[in-house]
Amino acid sequence: MAISRKVYTLDEFTIQQLRNFPHATGELSGLLRDIGLAAKRVNVEVNKAGLADILGEAGMMNVQGEEVKKLDLFANNQFTGALQHGISCAGIASEEWDDFIAFEDEASRQSKYICLFDPLDGSSNIDVNVSVGTIFSVYRRLTAKGAVVEPDDFLQPGIRQVAAGYIVYGSSTILVYATRRGVNGFTLDPSIGEFCLSHPDIKCPAQGKIYSVNHGNFYRFEERVQNFIKKYQCNTAQEGGPYTQRYIGSMVSDIHRNLLKGGIFMYPATTDMPQGKLRLQYECNPFAFIVEVAGGLATNGYKRILDIAPASLHQRSPLFIGSSNMMEEWEIGRQIQQ
Ligand code: AHM
Ligand code: MG
């Protein structure tokens, strides 16, 4: 029986995209293949987290001073290993490593890309069966091919990203990645072990009904942020409401939902965390890139996220991200020079 419709796997899709670029080397598709492979391995472990002894806290502290869960370590090792043993990445930085790692073998040194990732975001949700995810970001290195990568390769503003993406390990497992050409989503078909194109050319609706924020922190937010949030709670139909509040506590799932349905996600600065909680390089930049390519906007409340020049690898930033109309409506969503 003939199959009625061509189903593109992640590999087929990235290779087909290459044909639009006669000078492309295929390195980016190689890198995405390595990421997809690591994601499949992590997916298997995340799915059996409730069964295996792997569930629970490893008891160590990461560089952010937070407790590390065992699955964080597993995911970190899988992504590090897949990229190190591949030939498409010259070095990595991860939320779980203190410093970047330069791959010194000849093939890796010849690669033009570096990768930053948060191997398992939202890991406090693992114990309670809530979706978690991986976030990644790809840059062209600044140092010459053949050399060992250096700190500056990892401290580029988000606007220089070549690609960014995330994986949600949820009711189904989906890998979404963006290049400047568009955002596409691939759902893992467990029967064949392949990511298959399921969400082509994702666009973030300009207007949405959802806002996502940790309300428990409300009295720790700046007044203008509180006023911004109150608007969503007290609105009338004339103001475009009513709005719905949704906050899982896994930004990968929260932003994935808002990207598809339309909405705004916020993690503002608080009195106890004046720089915000989320990491500019591992969390804010990749999502800002994806959401902007999909037609949305992302700021830190004053400035476009993608224009911020990072001063250090593990820098934090407030984040406001989502549908363009919702972001533009309030000054927090616009770019304000200070
Ligand atoms: P993590 O990298 O330690 O998992 O923290 C990041 C997560 C985000 O996924 C989520 O949006 C946020 O932390 C939730 O934080 P809070 O519990 O303070 O609302
Ligand atoms: Mg994280």
Side-chain angles (χ1 to χ4, degrees), residues 27 48 51 53 77 125 194 210-211 228 233 239 245 260 262 296 308 333:
E27 263 184 75
K48 62 185 189 199
L51 297 170
D53 184 37
N77 289 338
N125 282 323
E194 292 281 2
I210 299 170
Y211 74 100
F228 179 65
Q233 297 173 323
E239 290 172 299
Q245 199 272 351
L260 298 184
I308 299 171

Side-chain angles (χ1 to χ4, degrees), residues 27-176:
E27 263 184 75
L28 187 60
S29 29
L31 201 147
L32 289 166
R33 186 184 318 127
D34 294 339
I35 288 173
L37 180 64
K40 286 184 221 174
R41 290 185 178 139
V42 172
N43 181 56
V44 170
E45 292 306 310
V46 168
N47 279 331
K48 62 185 189 199
L51 297 170
D53 184 37
I54 206 159
L55 182 68
E57 292 164 13
M60 289 163 54
M61 296 287 189
N62 71 10
V63 286
Q64 325 282 346
E66 300 153 333
E67 220 158 0
V68 173
K69 306 271 179 172
K70 281 184 187 173
L71 268 171
D72 294 25
L73 289 178
F74 179 83
N76 195 36
N77 289 338
Q78 290 305 319
F79 282 95
T80 303
L83 293 168
Q84 184 156 27
H85 300 305
I87 56 167
S88 310
C89 183
I92 56 141
S94 155
E95 192 181 294
E96 299 294 343
W97 297 120
D98 293 6
D99 207 350
F100 70 91
I101 299 176
F103 300 150
E104 297 195 2
D105 59 283
E106 176 63 18
S108 299
R109 278 194 284 114
Q110 290 301 333
S111 170
K112 60 182 175 215
Y113 296 119
I114 56 121
C115 188
L116 292 95
F117 55 85
D118 180 353
L120 207 60
D121 182 73
S123 52
S124 62
N125 282 323
I126 295 167
D127 293 3
V128 290
N129 225 340
V130 170
S131 301
V132 289
T134 297
I135 312 164
F136 63 90
S137 181
V138 180
Y139 292 80
R140 201 164 276 120
R141 62 189 292 179
L142 299 174
T143 44
K145 274 168 75 170
V148 172
V149 289
E150 291 178 8
D152 283 352
D153 290 318
F154 296 89
L155 295 176
Q156 304 186 53
I159 191 71
R160 297 226 187 105
Q161 286 170 100
V162 172
Y166 60 86
I167 299 118
V168 187
Y169 310 100
S171 49
S172 58
T173 293
I174 183 165
L175 184 155
V176 174

Side-chain angles (χ1 to χ4, degrees), residues 7-25:
V7 177
Y8 285 98
T9 66
L10 176 63
D11 251 16
E12 287 173 323
F13 183 83
T14 55
I15 290 166
Q16 201 205 37
Q17 296 285 301
L18 271 183
R19 297 200 179 127
N20 299 317
F21 298 97
H23 302 297
T25 57

Side-chain angles (χ1 to χ4, degrees), residues 149-226:
V149 289
E150 291 178 8
D152 283 352
D153 290 318
F154 296 89
L155 295 176
Q156 304 186 53
I159 191 71
R160 297 226 187 105
Q161 286 170 100
V162 172
Y166 60 86
I167 299 118
V168 187
Y169 310 100
S171 49
S172 58
T173 293
I174 183 165
L175 184 155
V176 174
Y177 85 90
T179 63
R180 280 178 202 286
R181 297 175 60 82
V183 186
N184 291 281
F186 301 79
T187 301
L188 183 64
D189 179 345
S191 60
I192 55 168
E194 292 281 2
F195 282 106
C196 299
L197 181 62
S198 53
H199 296 65
D201 199 20
I202 295 171
K203 300 281 183 226
C204 181
Q207 183 64 43
K209 293 285 180 198
I210 299 170
Y211 74 100
S212 309
V213 67
N214 185 341
H215 268 290
N217 290 332
F218 187 81
Y219 293 103
R220 296 176 173 186
F221 297 150
E222 283 176 79
E223 200 184 334
R224 66 189 198 112
V225 174
Q226 293 177 347

Side-chain angles (χ1 to χ4, degrees), residues 207-211 229-246 262-263 326:
Q207 183 64 43
K209 293 285 180 198
I210 299 170
Y211 74 100
I229 293 169
K230 280 183 198 161
K231 284 282 184 184
Y232 286 125
Q233 297 173 323
C234 309
N235 65 73
T236 60
Q238 291 93 308
E239 290 172 299
Y243 289 92
T244 295
Q245 199 272 351
R246 291 279 181 270
M326 294 175 81

